[in-house]
């Protein structure tokens, strides 16, 4: 499959229900991945699914994961296809009837097989993961040494097969409930923000909270 | 397995890495489930994992999911074991070295087989899901009718097998990096809050935003 501007419609990445929520633009996929701080990695262990939260980063058409070389989840992720899901919850949709309550969200489900990366790609992937977690940090901290690199696995998955869904706006109530009236309907937005930085108790005096921490933009959290 | 105050240590629910982050108190599991608005449901479809975000609710020792009777994910969830994961991200841990960056989080991974529920349990489960999504709403909205109930599947999973992990506090930097000094280290907390309610454009005049929306506590989002 080639990396075009649209996402490839394989059977498992084709949205079957509530199709009006489906998006097929690659730009939508990238926006969701870039706005989220964690993903949920789904693997199959002994025939059963296991879903684990983990950090990640996107670089171009590739998504990177990392972890300890001893982590079973990463070993399993090389042996069979995985599913990597990112969800941004934007608000709660209050309806006039119980079964029309909903959520406004943006989600991406990536499918594929991981490959283990090494050398320059591994170093660049670790940089992108740290920069995704903490923009501006990489250049001011001690970078990975040989021992740390050897103890860390980095996996890559090509962003070729993915499904993207989004919901926004108010409730889709039945006409009869709208006409009946008397019940408030709308959206309660969910917002994220950074709190005040908490300095480590073991930090020596005289080191200020750096600009990239103190004024970290909230835009990376999504709308 | 009996529902005791501790979680059952089956092989797949036993935390193998970073064991100091593991919790085995049932109360910790419930606190995480109750604070989260969405879960990630992992199923196996044609041998491969699929991870989907969905709403849920806990009621006692049971977790409930719901969806359209036409949703393949819910049908698959009856045919084999599932994994249901909830993650609350509490902050970003800034370290003195790249490989010690981390996240403060609370997560729960539930394992087991879903069973389809009906009758009174189904009605109560739908109420708990709506109330988890929108506390205070159930009693003021139109409740499900026969047609809606018939079109909705509700699944239950017993909270007998689960693993809980939490990380809090500052970075675990190497002593040599701490002694080298000069790099800020600490935690940037991530906070959630409710925005201003957005009333539906099709709402008739004169219906105020109700108290349970206007003053929805942020405590349900976790710390």
């Amino acid at each position: 499959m080639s990396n075009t501007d649209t996402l490839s419609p394989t059977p498992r990445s084709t949205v079957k229900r509530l199709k009006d929520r489906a998006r097929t633009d690659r730009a939508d996929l990238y926006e969701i991945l870039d706005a989220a701080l964690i993903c949920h990695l789904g693997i199959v262990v002994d025939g059963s699914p296991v879903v684990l939260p983990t950090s990640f980063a996107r670089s171009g058409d590739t998504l990177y994961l990392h972890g300890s070389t001893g982590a079973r989840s990463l070993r399993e992720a090389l042996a069979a296809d995985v599913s990597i899901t990112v969800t941004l919850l934007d608000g709660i949709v209050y309806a006039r009837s119980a079964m029309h309550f909903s959520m406004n969200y943006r989600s991406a489900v990536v499918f594929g097989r991981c490959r283990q990366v090494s050398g320059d790609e591994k170093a660049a992937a670790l940089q992108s993961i740290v920069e995704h977690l903490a923009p501006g940090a990489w250049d001011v901290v001690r970078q990975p040494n040989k021992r740390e690199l050897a103890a860390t696995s980095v996996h890559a998955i090509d962003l070729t097969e993915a499904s993207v869904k989004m919901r926004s706006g108010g409730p889709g109530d039945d006409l009869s409930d709208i006409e009946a009236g008397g019940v408030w309907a709308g959206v309660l937005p969910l917002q994220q923000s950074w709190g005040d930085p908490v300095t480590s108790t073991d930090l020596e005096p005289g080191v200020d909270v750096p600009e990239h921490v103190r004024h970290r933009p909230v835009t990376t959290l999504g709308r």
Side-chain angles (χ1 to χ4, degrees), chain A:
Chain A
M1 284 171 286
S2 65
N3 286 319
T4 62
D5 288 343
T6 55
L7 298 167
S8 57
T10 63
R12 65 181 172 182
S13 71
T14 299
V15 173
K16 288 163 206 81
R17 297 201 52 76
L18 303 171
K19 292 181 189 183
D20 56 315
R21 298 183 185 174
R23 296 289 181 280
T24 54
D25 284 351
R26 184 164 287 275
D28 289 328
L29 171 65
Y30 291 177
E31 186 190 314
I32 293 168
L33 293 176
D34 294 349
L37 288 164
I38 59 163
C39 66
H40 281 83
L41 167 67
I43 56 175
V44 177
V45 177
D46 300 333
S48 292
V50 178
V51 178
L52 299 170
T54 186
S55 57
F56 74 99
R58 178 185 74 87
S59 180
D61 299 331
T62 306
L63 189 150
Y64 291 106
L65 306 171
H66 79 316
S68 162
T69 51
R72 181 175 182 183
S73 57
L74 286 185
R75 288 199 306 275
E76 299 282 354
L78 293 172
D81 279 6
V82 302
S83 175
I84 298 171
T85 298
V86 156
T87 307
L88 300 164
L89 184 56
D90 293 325
I92 305 296
V93 182
Y94 286 73
R96 297 156 178 94
S97 63
M99 291 297 94
H100 279 296
F101 274 70
S102 188
M103 299 190 187
N104 283 341
Y105 66 95
R106 293 162 286 157
S107 71
V109 184
V110 175
F111 299 97
R113 183 73 58 97
C114 289
R115 62 181 166 84
Q116 194 155 13
V117 302
S118 57
D120 288 348
E121 186 182 8
K122 182 175 179 178
L126 288 171
Q127 179 172 354
S128 68
I129 291 170
V130 170
E131 278 290 307
H132 186 66
L133 201 60
W138 181 264
D139 286 339
V140 298
V141 301
R142 178 178 65 73
Q143 292 179 14
N145 59 34
K146 221 167 172 177
R147 179 184 53 77
E148 289 171 330
L149 285 174
T152 306
S153 282
V154 175
H155 286 9
I157 186 166
D158 294 334
L159 293 170
T160 44
E161 191 182 358
S163 63
V164 173
K165 286 178 86 174
M166 301 186 190
R167 190 201 189 283
S168 60
D173 274 311
D174 295 351
L175 186 59
S176 56
D177 293 320
I178 297 173
E179 288 175 349
V183 178
W184 184 82
V187 174
L188 187 61
L190 183 60
Q191 302 171 332
Q192 286 190 302
S193 59
W194 298 112
D196 292 329
V198 179
T199 296
S200 264
T201 51
D202 58 6
L203 191 72
E204 75 272 18
V207 180
D208 288 337
V209 179
E211 184 68 17
H212 65 266
V213 176
R214 189 181 294 280
H215 293 124
R216 179 168 182 168
V218 292
T219 51
T220 56
L221 302 174
R223 52 174 173 263

